[in-house]
Amino acid sequence: MKKKEFKIVKENNYGEDSLLSLKAKYLVMKCYKGEKDFKRWLYLDRPMPSQIVNSAWANREKLVIDIFNAIEQLSFEMAESTIDALVTTGCKTLFEFLDSESKNGNIISEISQFNREVIENLLIWIKKRTARTETGKYSNPSNRKAYTSIKSILMFFVRKGILKSEIFPYAPFININRHNSTTEPYSKSEFGKIMRFLWAEIKKINDTENYKNKNRILSIYVLTIAAKTGRNTSTILNLFEDCITPHPIFPNTHIILTGFKKRGMNTSTQAIREQYNSEDTFSSSKKVGDLVTDVLRITGPLREKTSLNNLFLIEGPNDKPEALNEQIFWKTVKKIYSEANLKDDQGNILRIQIKRMRKTFATRIWQLTGGDPIKTSKILGNTVPVMNRSYLDITPEMEKNHKMFGQVLTATLLNKTENIESVIAEKLNISLEHAKSLLIGDFNTGVGRCSSPFNGKYSESKEVACTRFIACFNCPNQVVVQSDLHRLFSFYWLIINEKGFIGKRKWTKLYSWIITLIEKEIEPKFSPDIVIKAKKQAKDEPHPMWVTRDNLGKL
């Protein structure tokens, strides 16, 4: 496969004529939604090609060329849809900001000029820009999307050592995820309809062995594998022909499936290309292995014509084999569910969406693991925060089944004895040394104490104490004593007030179960006078950790 040539021009003292004498196609990028002409950003206000002659030269040719080359290289690491978003949203917003700065006398002509001050000015500009909306402003999610697209581009230069990651402020759009309207998991009847339809389609394919409409056939298989594994579109479409191997422990019932995730440019990502196509290996039923075998048989004739090792191959222009991409896949899926004419529980057209399948899968795994977020996130291939934010909704059943697994110690600590450490150690089944540390406050958390902060149920590292304060309420290592009530109720009042920021529906999913647990399982363990006093103190003078909403964004 021929690699692209990335030649970055080193000199930045081009004149207008010399730069435009470059090959005509050099600054034109092919995206799956069409070609994007970067030459327009060499001028202020991004003029149309016919208006370039009369437009003002922006004096940022080196910057435009560097960004063009960066996105070209990122196209090897990111999905096509992501690259399109970087150009249409990221570049558009960035150069509009640079135009504004240039008109104010602050010309930014090179990547190295981006520092913390420039990024902070960019954030202020993004949040204040006008839009054709009822409010005259862009929504917070839209602003966040624009900023993260720009950051993804600039992170390429962090990898190259040209910029420092410290120029990006921490969480500039805190709690935005909680304002987003999210898709719901399918109900049991809806998901059953989809799966019966998909299995019926696969049976038809195998019975007739008519492989003419490969786009539709392969899309059916992608949907079925996604539903059975809980993986997202990118991971399934990036499967290779050798993606399945026998399961080492249960070879008769399970297989190991290996896919690849295309990663974004987060500050925590190391500067090596392999990290962006991170391996995603997981166990699945042998039925999934049979589906992969079917696909290999269907794409066999195409595989003989190409050196590509993708699992899902289709015929491209001039009958040349190419990998099934997201644009063709989703276009085909739209036709599939329209033709299927399935109805949801409200009688509307039942759309087939992999994200909703993934949410349904996540909810089912949560139930099977007894509400264990660590196991659920591992099976989904996500971190716990990503799983909680993107794929797991708190259902009425989950809320009903929440209970306090930790310990509330009242009388034991109120009536102190000389052997209090021994009593606590025995009651909590911890060492005497840990009991002493717990009593003097070494193991305090934001909502109580922890009997095992480094080796507890939700700990990830033996070197760093667990700080998942939301998980504390579902953790057997949580300990609450009377002196913790100020912190606990400070948190309590803060999340009650959160309803005004994120709305009742989202608040119910995120926090209502915690309020119920505190009121029904912790408060009754203490005398009413103590609870009333602690609540009043927390409301009037909240603990420093819970004075503002800032720390909620880190949970």
Side-chain angles (χ1 to χ4, degrees):
M1 184 176 179
K2 188 176 179 181
K3 293 185 178 180
K4 295 182 181 179
E5 179 182 357
F6 302 107
K7 184 178 180 182
I8 300 179
V9 184
K10 293 183 179 179
E11 299 295 331
N12 67 351
N13 57 348
Y14 303 109
E16 180 177 351
D17 294 336
S18 63
L19 178 68
L20 297 181
S21 66
L22 293 171
K23 291 185 294 185
K25 294 183 180 180
Y26 181 69
L27 289 176
V28 177
M29 182 173 295
K30 289 185 178 180
C31 297
Y32 81 89
K33 289 186 178 179
E35 292 186 340
K36 308 298 179 183
D37 189 352
F38 276 63
K39 292 193 291 292
R40 294 171 62 187
W41 280 313
L42 295 168
Y43 302 85
L44 295 179
D45 301 322
R46 198 185 174 212
M48 296 296 291
S50 60
Q51 301 172 333
I52 280 180
V53 176
N54 300 318
S55 300
W57 185 249
N59 293 313
R60 58 183 178 223
E61 49 270 30
K62 177 67 164 56
L63 178 67
V64 173
I65 292 173
D66 283 352
I67 290 178
F68 176 88
N69 277 285
I71 297 178
E72 280 278 0
Q73 294 189 51
L74 291 175
S75 67
F76 286 104
E77 304 166 353
M78 294 180 172
E80 291 178 338
S81 57
T82 305
I83 294 299
D84 195 86
L86 294 188
V87 177
T88 57
T89 301
C91 287
K92 181 177 181 293
T93 307
L94 175 61
F95 285 111
E96 285 178 354
F97 164 72
L98 295 178
D99 286 348
S100 174
E101 289 288 283
S102 181
K103 292 170 185 177
N104 291 327
N106 184 20
I107 298 175
I108 298 175
S109 58
E110 294 191 18
I111 289 295
S112 59
Q113 290 178 257
F114 283 89
N115 54 29
R116 182 62 175 257
E117 182 181 359
V118 171
I119 298 300
E120 289 178 346
N121 289 339
L122 168 67
L123 281 164
I124 293 171
W125 180 86
I126 286 176
K127 293 176 181 179
K128 289 185 175 181
R129 61 190 176 141
T130 58
R132 294 178 183 176
T133 61
E134 291 182 3
T135 62
K137 301 286 185 182
Y138 285 95
S139 66
N140 283 333
S142 295
N143 287 336
R144 197 270 303 271
K145 181 180 178 181
Y147 171 71
T148 53
S149 293
I150 294 171
K151 182 179 176 181
S152 294
I153 298 169
L154 295 181
M155 280 302 299
F156 173 85
F157 299 99
V158 172
R159 286 198 292 161
K160 295 296 182 183
I162 299 172
L163 298 177
K164 295 182 180 295
S165 61
E166 289 78 12
I167 68 174
F168 301 106
Y170 174 77
F173 293 94
I174 191 168
N175 290 320
I176 292 302
N177 282 317
R178 298 174 186 173
H179 291 268
N180 289 345
S181 58
T182 58
T183 55
E184 300 286 343
Y186 290 112
S187 68
K188 187 175 181 179
S189 62
E190 289 172 340
F191 193 65
K193 290 176 184 178
I194 291 173
M195 293 310 299
R196 284 192 293 273
F197 167 75
L198 292 175
W199 286 122
E201 289 296 302
I202 287 176
K203 187 175 186 304
K204 288 179 187 176
I205 294 167
N206 290 329
D207 288 346
T208 61
E209 294 192 357
N210 182 355
Y211 304 147
K212 289 183 179 180
N213 191 350
K214 281 198 175 67
N215 291 5
R216 187 182 192 282
I217 290 171
L218 295 185
S219 295
I220 290 287
Y221 274 94
V222 172
L223 290 171
T224 310
I225 293 173
K228 294 292 290 181
T229 62
R231 256 44 189 184
N232 57 29
T233 315
S234 177
T235 299
I236 303 300
L237 291 178
N238 280 309
L239 291 174
F240 295 136
E241 59 180 324
D242 58 351
C243 62
I244 56 173
T245 53
H247 196 286
I249 301 175
F250 307 109
N252 295 326
T253 58
H254 288 72
I255 52 95
I256 298 295
L257 190 65
T258 302
F260 293 89
K261 286 184 172 183
K262 297 215 170 187
R263 295 295 192 183
M265 311 298 283
N266 294 321
T267 54
S268 61
T269 307
Q270 296 180 21
I272 53 176
R273 178 172 172 177
E274 286 75 10
Q275 287 290 75
Y276 295 98
N277 291 309
S278 62
E279 192 172 282
D280 182 17
T281 302
F282 50 98
S283 171
S284 192
S285 70
K286 204 162 187 179
K287 192 69 177 177
V288 174
D290 294 337
L291 294 172
V292 171
T293 302
D294 286 351
V295 176
L296 288 171
R297 184 180 68 253
I298 293 168
T299 57
L302 286 178
R303 203 171 304 284
E304 295 175 358
K305 302 178 184 179
T306 181
S307 60
L308 294 175
N309 62 347
N310 299 75
L311 175 62
F312 295 97
L313 291 174
I314 59 172
E315 290 182 351
N318 302 319
D319 297 329
K320 185 179 178 181
E322 63 179 35
L324 176 63
N325 60 48
E326 288 195 35
Q327 182 189 18
I328 295 174
F329 169 69
W330 286 117
K331 187 177 179 180
T332 307
V333 169
K334 188 175 180 179
K335 291 181 180 178
I336 289 173
Y337 70 70
S338 296
E339 293 169 1
N341 198 30
L342 301 176
K343 302 295 183 182
D344 63 18
D345 292 342
Q346 287 73 44
N348 302 315
I349 294 241
L350 182 57
R351 298 177 62 191
I352 301 176
Q353 297 175 289
I354 286 183
K355 184 169 185 178
R356 291 191 69 184
M357 288 180 174
R358 188 159 163 76
K359 280 201 165 189
T360 308
F361 184 86
T363 303
R364 178 61 176 154
I365 295 300
W366 171 277
Q367 294 166 346
L368 292 174
T369 59
D372 190 318
I374 304 298
K375 291 180 180 177
T376 305
S377 61
K378 284 183 178 179
I379 292 171
L380 281 172
N382 283 119
T383 61
V384 172
V386 170
M387 177 200 69
N388 286 334
R389 181 173 68 239
S390 302
Y391 298 112
L392 194 62
D393 285 330
I394 300 297
T395 65
E397 291 76 18
M398 290 180 195
E399 188 172 350
K400 180 180 178 182
N401 293 330
H402 267 296
K403 60 181 180 179
M404 177 80 174
F405 289 103
Q407 296 279 348
V408 178
L409 304 182
T410 52
T412 304
L413 294 182
L414 289 173
N415 303 316
K416 288 190 176 183
T417 66
E418 293 181 359
N419 297 319
I420 184 64
E421 293 91 352
S422 301
V423 174
I424 295 299
E426 182 179 355
K427 186 174 182 63
L428 300 182
N429 193 27
I430 58 177
S431 67
L432 187 62
E433 182 181 350
H434 272 204
K436 291 179 180 178
S437 295
L438 185 141
L439 285 172
I440 64 175
D442 286 350
F443 293 169
N444 282 3
T445 70
V447 293
R449 306 180 189 216
C450 184
S451 63
S452 187
F454 300 98
N455 298 288
K457 181 176 180 180
Y458 298 125
S459 302
E460 286 189 343
S461 169
K462 293 186 177 181
E463 287 77 34
V464 181
C466 177
T467 57
R468 293 175 177 169
F469 305 136
I470 292 290
C472 286
F473 296 97
N474 197 26
C475 179
N477 302 110
Q478 184 184 27
V479 179
V480 178
V481 302
Q482 183 176 321
S483 58
D484 299 324
L485 294 181
H486 180 231
R487 261 174 299 133
L488 177 69
F489 285 122
S490 296
F491 176 73
Y492 169 92
W493 289 121
L494 184 65
I495 61 176
I496 283 180
N497 293 333
E498 191 70 1
K499 187 184 296 185
F501 291 96
I502 66 177
K504 182 178 178 181
R505 179 175 175 274
K506 195 68 176 177
W507 183 89
T508 299
K509 291 181 178 180
L510 288 169
Y511 298 127
S512 65
W513 66 275
I514 299 176
I515 297 298
T516 300
L517 188 147
I518 291 174
E519 292 177 344
K520 291 186 176 181
E521 299 204 33
I522 298 179
E523 283 188 24
K525 302 290 177 64
F526 299 93
S527 73
D529 291 342
I530 290 174
V531 171
I532 291 171
K533 183 178 178 181
K535 276 189 169 181
K536 185 178 186 305
Q537 181 191 9
K539 193 169 188 178
D540 295 341
E541 300 177 8
H543 188 275
M545 186 171 188
W546 304 120
V547 171
T548 68
R549 303 170 62 234
D550 293 349
N551 283 329
L552 287 178
K554 303 174 186 178
L555 300 182

